Amino acid sequence: MLFVCHGYMVIMYDHTLQLNDAIKDTVYNWALVFIEWKCLKLFSVPMVYGVSAFCGIWMHFVREGSKMASWNSITLEITYQVVGWSAFLCWAICFYPQLILNYRRKSVVGLNFDFVVLNWTKQLAYLIYNVTLFFSPVVQRQYHEKYGYGTMIPVAANDVAFSLHSLLIMALVAFQILIYERGSQKVSKTCITITSIVWVVAVVCTIIAWPSNSWLWLISVFNIIQVSMTTIKYTPQAFMNYMRKSTEGFSIFFVLLDLLGGLTNLAQMLVESIDQGTFVNLYSDIGKTLLSSIVAFFGLLFIAQHYVLYPSMSVGKYSKAGAENTEPLMKPSSESGQNENV
């Protein structure tokens, strides 16, 4: 429903309304805000209502102020929107199986806490990058001065919506960790050290960028942070699965939807490249490109662990509620020196 209505509005915008560009943009975006709000309501994703509306309203000012390149093909533009919002839905929905699994088990045993902390850090850095490049005319001007005024801004409304939604969901997961059975699991010192270093670097870069107004460079730093955190955040969970010889407690539905989201996100960028006849967007927003690639890699790894290496049927010794599994998942440092991976 969302995709059909969105596509119809794109066509109406380009071919039906005989108004000047400013009025046409305004009418189009207000109508689009209403449609996306209604359709997202049907998908039961209330957390993104405000984000979707805000993105739609501001699109007029972004288009007028940033001199965005126009689409050459209506079909590809509709495809771009359909694929982009498909990626958003996959990545938005993929978090809910883990929330539901934790709720049903009343336990977070099997969910690596390092993954949660690193993912929250990643999502916050990605939100800063997406929101700034999507809404700031100053940063958009710097982007066009570097990559050319004929290039399109690589951040779409669905990217902004995804970042904010993910940040809120990870906050809910953190709350579950506080109230549910968690056995002997805890955030490792390694995770705390990495997270601290990341934000110290972010603060230092902000101080460096401030005097010269190097905002594009600064958000590029946050983009690098989110790519690094994406790589790092999956590693503790993969290693934990290996040590336990089990994936119980880690939702495979999250993995499948996360993988699908990564592939559709990459497909969205390729559609833009095909329409514009250039691959500038793939390297100008290298963070988004690498994000999709890393998600695909770890998605395939988790699928192999769940279905091939450690089938769930072979781990009956772990209770569904996780209450009985209170022993450390790894030996203490005095015995193995590997407690930082728990």
Side-chain angles (χ1 to χ4, degrees):
M1 178 66 177
L2 170 63
F3 307 144
V4 173
C5 292
H6 197 171
Y8 172 76
M9 290 306 301
V10 170
I11 294 173
M12 183 181 72
Y13 169 78
D14 285 322
H15 293 290
T16 305
L17 291 179
Q18 302 298 320
L19 301 172
N20 65 65
D21 290 339
I23 298 177
K24 191 163 60 173
D25 271 348
T26 303
V27 173
Y28 165 74
N29 286 302
W30 275 106
L32 180 58
V33 166
F34 175 77
I35 290 174
E36 289 182 344
W37 182 82
K38 282 294 184 181
C39 293
L40 285 172
K41 186 176 182 180
L42 295 177
F43 285 108
S44 299
V45 194
M47 292 183 182
V48 302
Y49 288 172
V51 178
S52 181
F54 193 53
C55 290
I57 294 171
W58 269 86
M59 183 64 79
H60 164 67
F61 299 101
V62 172
R63 287 182 174 180
E64 288 297 306
S66 64
K67 300 180 181 178
M68 292 176 65
S70 60
W71 284 87
N72 298 314
S73 169
I74 298 301
T75 301
L76 289 177
E77 182 176 6
I78 295 175
T79 302
Y80 176 86
Q81 297 292 346
V82 169
V83 174
W85 284 104
S86 295
F88 163 75
L89 287 174
C90 290
W91 273 343
I93 297 173
C94 77
F95 290 102
Y96 289 94
Q98 187 67 56
L99 283 171
I100 296 172
L101 180 64
N102 295 342
Y103 173 76
R104 288 178 176 175
R105 298 169 69 233
K106 297 297 186 291
S107 169
V108 291
V109 173
L111 174 63
N112 192 278
F113 297 169
D114 288 3
F115 172 83
V116 176
V117 174
L118 294 172
N119 196 26
W120 192 89
T121 301
K122 178 262 180 187
Q123 300 299 351
L124 180 56
Y126 199 33
L127 178 65
I128 292 173
Y129 171 81
N130 284 331
V131 168
T132 305
L133 186 53
F134 189 80
F135 290 115
S136 172
V138 174
V139 177
Q140 289 171 3
R141 186 178 64 252
Q142 293 178 1
Y143 176 89
H144 285 138
E145 288 174 351
K146 181 175 182 179
Y147 296 105
Y149 284 92
T151 59
M152 300 178 68
I153 296 297
V155 175
N158 57 275
D159 296 320
V160 180
F162 159 71
S163 299
L164 182 56
H165 176 266
S166 299
L167 201 64
L168 295 175
I169 289 297
M170 293 314 298
L172 290 178
V173 173
F175 178 71
Q176 289 183 323
I177 290 175
L178 294 176
I179 64 175
Y180 289 152
E181 168 63 33
R182 55 183 179 272
S184 61
Q185 295 176 221
K186 61 182 180 180
V187 178
S188 71
K189 293 180 180 179
T190 300
C191 176
I192 296 174
T193 300
I194 291 174
T195 304
S196 300
I197 292 175
V198 163
W199 289 113
V200 168
V201 169
V203 171
V204 171
C205 289
T206 301
I207 295 174
I208 294 174
W210 195 286
S212 58
N213 294 324
S214 302
W215 306 123
L216 181 62
W217 172 79
L218 179 60
I219 66 170
S220 297
V221 171
F222 281 101
N223 204 13
I224 294 173
I225 289 175
Q226 74 90 6
V227 172
S228 302
M229 292 296 100
T230 299
T231 304
I232 296 173
K233 75 174 184 177
Y234 288 114
T235 304
Q237 186 66 56
F239 185 71
M240 186 179 187
N241 295 343
Y242 166 75
M243 294 301 296
R244 298 173 72 224
K245 298 297 186 290
S246 168
T247 59
E248 185 172 1
F250 185 58
S251 174
I252 190 60
F253 296 104
F254 165 83
V255 174
L256 297 175
L257 289 168
D258 194 32
L259 174 60
L260 183 58
L263 294 177
T264 50
N265 192 52
L266 182 60
Q268 184 187 35
M269 300 187 72
L270 292 175
V271 168
E272 180 181 331
S273 296
I274 293 172
D275 179 83
Q276 299 296 301
T278 177
F279 292 101
V280 171
N281 64 314
L282 292 178
Y283 62 80
S284 65
D285 190 3
I286 190 65
K288 189 173 180 178
T289 304
L290 291 177
L291 169 63
S292 301
S293 303
I294 294 170
V295 167
F297 171 78
F298 278 98
L300 294 174
L301 174 61
F302 287 133
I303 289 174
Q305 287 184 323
H306 184 81
Y307 291 109
V308 180
L309 300 176
Y310 321 121
S312 57
M313 63 183 69
S314 66
V315 292
K317 60 182 180 181
Y318 296 100
S319 66
K320 291 184 178 180
E324 298 178 4
N325 190 0
T326 56
E327 297 182 0
L329 298 177
M330 298 178 64
K331 294 180 180 181
S333 57
S334 60
E335 300 180 33
S336 64
Q338 296 180 341
N339 65 307
E340 290 188 349
N341 293 296
V342 178

